[in-house]
Amino acid sequence: MMSKIIYVLDNNESTEYKYNICEDTIIYHFSINSSSRVEVNLVEDNVSLYYYYNNINYDDNEFNIKINHLSNNSHSEVFNHGVNVKCNKLTYNVYGVVLKEFSKCRCMQDNQIINMDNGKSTILPILLIDNYDVDSNHSAYIGKFREEEIFYLMSRGISRSVANKILLNGFLINSDSLELDKINEFVLEIEKI
Amino acid sequence: MLEIKNISCSIKDSDVEILNNLSLKINTGEVHVIMGPNGTGKSTLSKVIMGHYKYEVKSGDILLDGESIKDLEVDERARRGLFLCMQDPTVIEGVSNSEFLRTARGSITGEKVNLYTFIKDMENSMKDVGLDFNMLHRSLNMGFSGGEKKKNEILQMKFLKPKYIILDELDSGLDVDSLKLVCENINNYLIENKEASLLIITHYPRILEYLKPDFVHILKDGNIKKTGGMDLALEIEKNGYTNIDSMIGNDNDE
């Protein structure tokens, strides 16, 4: 079955998004230096949502996302990848909510923020699960690119700066199926980091 | 020629010394083996030669063709022809094998890699090492089995054409058939590249059935204790490392 695919791009703006998901959906959310609020309701039984948030940050910003499971056997996976370029504050509040009356749900989140400088980054994973029959987990990483990865790339002749570029690209454009012409603005922004 | 001169090293920010005044000379075209029990510094030696960030060289020098590489960055060492086939190759999510290989080759040769010739080259090379062609477009080492990771290292070796190759525990993670196949690839590489020399780091002599060494060194307590030929490796297989002092070969302790 094909999923519905949605592209969103924020550039220096603060926007609110609300979605009611009735069919399998993939949302690619690109954000340049923006504070956004996202609320997603999974309203049909058995639907799945994949949410990819890719963010380049320069000022103090906050990203709020809330996934409400309002149906049985619904499935959500949220991947938040941010690069905090300067010494500013970047905060992710990531909510996953499963109400008592809905079971067999899967509610997952994976959060990573790479600090390029000494920015103050915060990730708050908040899972509010009120039903026993739910599969749910979260992970969070804040820090630099792993020295081990840089070493591996450099050991094949790639310079440190190019290695960083490659890792940034891989981190912020992390799906093979992305249509790059739709996110040109974002791709150009990666070059500037 | 790769020459390691009286190298002593420790883990960064600690006093634990791992290599102690170790010397080793590998001439062009030679195959050397370093064997030794766990925790004697074999892997450390390979990483120190490559310039790994965890280790600090306290004294001594590493020379490539007579020039010191001790203070060079890791990528510069690679561009001078060093290649470390790692024991546990790193997984990098989001960076495709293909992008990685082309960037690496471009960095080493200084020329842009033509996509068409790259694909043709990979079709053949990946078949040679027994890797599925689709893996070219997957994230680097991600979801690869232990054996596939090792094959991917050898694929990189074939493509990047290094002069000094270090194999750190190549046999771990490889089944017998895969080990044989991978070693065939290395042997062919050595035949095609007469300038290339090889340093094999291993616990087990099994790999030496396929890669014939010119010299066998026994490493213990951070230093080479014995040097000999294939017969020394066979004796280790029979008797283990406990009585190396009474074994055949030349003593290296001064």
Side-chain angles (χ1 to χ4, degrees), chain A residues 55-63 80-94 111-125 140-144 171:
Chain A
N55 165 228
I56 301 168
N57 190 62
Y58 296 103
D59 299 321
D60 289 354
N61 277 303
E62 207 171 288
F63 173 60
N80 298 316
H81 283 189
V83 174
N84 198 6
V85 182
K86 295 182 180 166
C87 287
N88 293 86
K89 271 191 211 165
L90 178 62
T91 307
Y92 289 180
N93 295 308
V94 189
N111 308 294
Q112 296 185 49
I113 296 177
I114 300 296
N115 279 332
M116 300 299 285
D117 203 330
N118 285 318
K120 189 166 166 40
S121 302
T122 310
I123 295 169
L124 290 168
Y141 174 85
I142 298 172
K144 309 259 180 233
F171 183 68

Side-chain angles (χ1 to χ4, degrees), chain A residues 9 32 38 66 89 133 135 162-163 168 175 182:
Chain A
L9 178 76
I32 304 165
V38 180
K66 191 171 182 186
K89 271 191 211 165
D133 194 7
D135 193 1
V162 174
L168 268 176
S175 167
K182 291 195 170 152

Side-chain angles (χ1 to χ4, degrees), chain A residues 81 112 147-160 162 166-167 169-171 173-174 176, chain B residues 50 52-53 73-75 78-79 83-84 86 89-92 94-95 100 103-104 107-108 140-141 153 156:
Chain A
H81 283 189
Q112 296 185 49
E147 201 50 42
E148 190 193 349
E149 295 181 344
I150 304 262
F151 174 74
Y152 191 72
L153 294 174
M154 287 178 77
S155 80
R156 302 307 186 235
I158 299 170
S159 70
R160 187 176 285 274
V162 174
I166 291 178
L167 290 172
N169 259 304
F171 183 68
I173 299 181
N174 38 26
D176 297 338
Chain B
M50 200 69 234
H52 195 275
Y53 55 94
E73 284 278 1
V74 178
D75 55 322
R79 288 198 291 273
F83 182 90
L84 172 59
M86 298 195 193
T90 310
V91 175
I92 303 183
V95 176
F100 165 65
T103 312
S107 301
I108 287 173
L140 187 50
N141 290 324
E153 296 286 283
Q156 292 169 32

Side-chain angles (χ1 to χ4, degrees), chain A residues 97-115:
Chain A
V97 183
V98 183
L99 298 181
K100 196 166 189 170
E101 54 265 49
F102 303 112
S103 60
K104 307 265 182 226
C105 294
R106 249 169 91 80
C107 178
M108 310 289 193
Q109 50 169 278
D110 174 32
N111 308 294
Q112 296 185 49
I113 296 177
I114 300 296
N115 279 332

